[in-house]
Structures are given as C-alpha cells and as structure tokens.
Amino acid sequence: MAQVDLLIRGGHVWTPGGFVDLDLAVHQGRIVGLHEPGQVRDASEILNADGQHVLPGLMDTHTHQREPGFTHKEDFITATRAAAAGGVTLSVGMPNVNPPTNTAERLQELIAVAKKKVLVDFNHNPAGTIPSEIPKLAKLGCLAYKVFMVRDTGRDYPHMPGIGIDHHGQLLDIFEAVGETGLPLMVHPHDQQLMDTIEQRYWKRGEYDPRAYARAYRDYEGIIWDTAIGLLLRLQKATGTRLHILHMSTPGGLEMVRRAKDAGQQVTCEVNPWAVFLGNSWERVEKMGPYILGFWVPDGHAEELWKGILDGTIDLVGTDHAPHTREEKEVGWENMWKSPGGEPQIQDYLSLFLTEVNAGRIPLDTLVRLTSYNPARIFGVYPRKGTIQVGSDADLVLVDLKQEKVISNQETYTKCGWTPYDGRRVKGVPTCTLVRGKIVMKEGKVVGEPGYGQFIPPVAFSSESSARSATRNAP
Ligand SMILES: [Zn+2]
C-alpha cells in the first residue's frame, strides 16, 4: 500500500465491536486502515502506542466556552486548550454568552470568530428561545438547541434574559419549532415557580450560604428538577421532538426517563462529572462551598446515577465545563445566590472516569460510549466522529490506564486558573490527543495551534450542502 501520513502502532484499540490490538493507518486526517500489528511499515510518521489504549476522541456536547462576553473567565483558545489536554477533540459550546446566541446572525458571527481560534473541532448549541429563528439556526449547521428553564434570581448570570423560558406554552411552541428541524432540543430542567417559593423560605430565615443553596436545590428530593422533567417528557410525547435532558441527578428524574425510554419516547440524557465526582459529598459542600456548587447530589443519589450509567438510562457525559474566576466564587461564601454556579471540568473528567474504570465501577467500553460514540450518534456527527473505523476522522486519544497523577491547579489550561479537583489522585491519564490526525496534546502538554479546529455540522448537513454545491458547480 502507498505510504500513509501516520501509523499508530502497538495500541489496544477501541472499535464498536470491542478492543483489538491493531495498528492504525492515518492519511490526510482520516483513518484509512486498521491493520494486524506489524503489517504496515511504511508511514511518514510513527506514533508508538505500546501499552496504551486508543480511544475515539471525546465529544463534549456541553462546554461553556464563555466567548463572547465573558472572556475574563475563558475564551475559545483556553477552553479548547483545556479540551485538548483532556482528550476532547470536539467541543460544543453553550449559548449563555453575551450577546446570547439566540439568533442566526449571532450564531454566524460566533462561528466566524471561533474558527480562527479553536484548537480542536467545535460546534455551538444556540438558544432555541425564539421560534422564528429556529429553522435559520439549523441552516447554519448547529447540532442541537439549548433552552434553560431557569430565570436567575439574585443575579443575571449565568442565566441571562434571552436564553431562559419557564412558560409552558412558550416551551410547547419551541418543542414544535425544533421538531420541524429534526434536531434534538437540550433542556436544563428547572421548575422556576417552585424554586421561587423554596428559596424565599431560606431567605426569610436569613440563610444564604452554600449549605442553604445546596439544600434549596434538593428540597423534597430535588422536586424542582423532577416536576420540570415530568413536564418535558410530556411535551416530548405531545410533539415527538427529540428531547435531550441536561444535568440528570435525581433518582425521580432517572426513573421517569427510564420509563419514557421503555415506552419508546425519543429522549436522551446526560450526566455531568460534578454530579458523581464533586457535588456528591456534604463534606465537600461544607469545605469547598462555592467552588463545588452547582448542585449538591445527596448520599444515594450519585449511586443511582452510576446505575443509570450502567443500565443505559444515561446516554452520555456532558462536562458542563463552567469556569468562573476565584473572585466570582468567593462571593458565594456569604451569598451563594450571588455567585455563579459551575466549575472547570473538561480537562480532568476523562482521568476521573478512568480512575473508576480502574476501580471496576464501569467498563472502559461503556465509558467510550458515554463520552464519544453515543454523543456522536445522538448529535448527528457519526460516523465521521465518535468511532474508530475506516473513513472516520482520526480523532483519537491515547490513554495510559496505569499512569497515576495528582490533578493540580498548576497544570490546568483553563483561563480561570483553578480546578475543583486540585489535589485529587487519579489513575488513568490521557497521554496524547489527535484531531484529524494531528497531535494537539502530548504527555500533558498542549501543542495544538489556535485556528486548527474546524466547525463540524451534522453529517447529513454536510452531504446535503456539498450535494447542493456540486449541483451549483455543474456545467
Ligand atoms: Zn451548563
């Protein structure tokens, strides 16, 4: 065979059928051959993967990249540097930026800027809050829409006007408009009316600290989540629109999704790393307060999430990477309602999950499906992304399951300069990330260049639009 650009030799390679010892031939950014070890010798470059597992690069469908508007926390370059360091080869942004991406014009602008900056491939989930914009956004090649059912009280960030809808009738209009596009609708479930009542009770008692905040979001076993999930599932049933539920963390919500799936409803959902590695400890709520909130996931609830991961109720991991500065977090010790929720995740989550693989809690194959294969399929970029097979993009992450390290603020690439996992020991480390055959991270050092990343529309979208341009170009 003719000489290929790159041969990845000696690895234990994930394929949809299981792990196999294979040499991977890569040419012009794509996988062109899966070979018996030692068969191919002729390559311009050889990457030695002895003792390593070779996985499809991770696809994060939920990255708060913060640009435009909040670039003091993070920007396209720093977010995708952290992504590359963490084994993520496709990062999909979220619309709570300024101005929020709820129109086609804004999305187009954002894509143009991001293209010049990102180190890994990208897309962006616009806010599907203006029904008339929804079809126009699809024409630009977005993979999904995002709606927050949250109206922030006490702060106007991170859930600013323009991205939040808590009116049921407006949600119905949005479900129908998104249904027309065939794309999934991602929703942050939240019952704003119940929350208004619940948080007033805490405030009347003068309770504003992280403990009060943590409890308010969990009162009655997380009622504000469950009533919202019940509503969303009913709207899904009414409209047939593909629904993707974000931030799964309550046993009640899981049970409803499980039943909806059994009944054949078109629903998928995500789990966030913070739910199983961070918010799942009252001790951490007390000790780290604003730096781990988000949300508290009480004893037993995280166990239910692991069950949901293993039985397929949970489809994928979305990082909810949400960097904020220390100054913004410090305010939360006094009043957590004035401090933005969320924290950096994208660089560390693969290592945290690999640690659980080593501990025997989750098979590596399941992890690959959660972080790569399933998101690629649900969001329409499979088989270009999310798998290792001939013809797919050579988006890969090499991991050393035996390597141990301690996560530290010093090594974090996120602009805010801290990680909630600082000091955490992990076993299982990404050692090399490749995007379309190009190494963007090696041994923890990011070597990718800003502007290398490409905008990745749905696979069906690219073939449609290339067919259109082929017709246009025909003589
Ligand atoms: Zn989020």
Side-chain angles (χ1 to χ4, degrees), residues 9 12 24 34 38 40 59 70 74-75 77 112 116 206 256 263 274 317 323 348 362 396-397 444 462 468 472:
R9 210 160 59 181
H12 202 45
L24 280 182
L34 288 76
V40 180
M59 172 176 178
F70 303 97
E74 192 78 297
D75 58 43
I77 295 178
K116 295 186 203 131
M256 281 187 270
W274 54 254
V317 176
D348 302 322
I362 169 179
L396 303 164
V397 55
S462 8
R468 270 203 302 276
R472 247 201 320 274

Side-chain angles (χ1 to χ4, degrees), residues 271-283:
V271 67
N272 309 120
W274 54 254
V276 286
F277 298 123
L278 216 53
N280 59 324
S281 146
W282 186 254
E283 202 189 322

Side-chain angles (χ1 to χ4, degrees), residues 102 128-136 165 170 173-175 177-178:
N102 52 9
T129 47
I130 306 172
S132 60
E133 290 291 323
I134 285 171
K136 295 188 236 165
I165 300 284
Q170 288 170 14
D173 284 339
I174 290 166
F175 265 80
V178 171

Side-chain angles (χ1 to χ4, degrees), residues 217-361:
Y217 275 88
R218 276 292 147 166
D219 264 356
Y220 310 99
E221 301 283 297
I223 191 173
I224 60 142
W225 299 95
D226 291 352
T227 54
I229 290 170
L231 171 73
L232 292 171
L233 289 170
R234 190 61 187 83
L235 288 170
Q236 192 290 322
K237 194 175 167 187
T239 59
T241 302
R242 295 169 61 199
L243 169 65
H244 181 67
I245 303 177
L246 304 175
H247 307 309
M248 288 301 294
S249 74
T250 62
L254 275 170
E255 197 41 47
M256 281 187 270
V257 169
R258 195 172 278 130
R259 263 188 265 139
K261 284 188 166 195
D262 284 348
Q265 279 188 246
Q266 292 245 57
V267 57
T268 53
C269 65
E270 72 169 17
V271 67
N272 309 120
W274 54 254
V276 286
F277 298 123
L278 216 53
N280 59 324
S281 146
W282 186 254
E283 202 189 322
R284 270 201 289 274
V285 172
E286 300 242 323
K287 217 162 80 188
M288 296 172 70
Y291 290 92
I292 68 144
L293 294 169
F295 309 105
W296 173 44
V297 182
D299 282 352
H301 291 199
E303 286 310 311
E304 290 300 317
L305 288 172
W306 285 109
K307 274 186 216 160
I309 284 171
L310 293 174
D311 74 10
T313 305
I314 290 171
D315 297 274
L316 61 90
V317 176
T319 64
D320 196 15
H321 176 75
H324 301 288
T325 66
R326 286 190 175 90
E327 292 70 30
E328 290 162 335
K329 282 298 196 184
E330 280 299 312
V331 179
W333 290 111
E334 279 287 307
N335 185 343
M336 189 57 214
W337 274 268
K338 289 208 183 303
S339 175
E343 53 289 297
Q345 303 283 348
I346 202 165
Q347 188 173 337
D348 302 322
Y349 77 119
L350 177 55
S351 277
L352 292 159
F353 276 106
L354 290 173
T355 307
E356 299 299 329
V357 169
N358 272 311
R361 201 201 285 260

Side-chain angles (χ1 to χ4, degrees), residues 124-195:
H124 182 89
N125 301 310
T129 47
I130 306 172
S132 60
E133 290 291 323
I134 285 171
K136 295 188 236 165
L137 290 161
K139 287 204 181 93
L140 295 175
C142 66
L143 303 177
Y145 302 86
K146 165 88 183 265
V147 168
F148 300 72
M149 290 170 77
V150 187
R151 175 168 37 77
D152 265 333
T153 42
R155 60 187 179 200
D156 57 11
Y157 181 80
H159 309 110
M160 66 280 283
I163 59 165
I165 300 284
D166 60 318
H167 186 284
H168 298 187
Q170 288 170 14
L171 283 170
L172 175 62
D173 284 339
I174 290 166
F175 265 80
E176 285 177 343
V178 171
E180 292 287 321
T181 68
L183 296 173
L185 175 62
M186 308 177 141
V187 187
H188 174 150
H190 180 88
D191 190 320
Q192 189 64 54
Q193 294 192 8
L194 277 175
M195 192 60 193

Side-chain angles (χ1 to χ4, degrees), residues 40 52 91 126 211 238 250-251 255 263 291 366 395 413:
V40 180
Q52 312 256 322
S91 160
R211 287 172 301 186
T250 62
E255 197 41 47
Y291 290 92
T366 305
D395 292 351
Y413 280 98

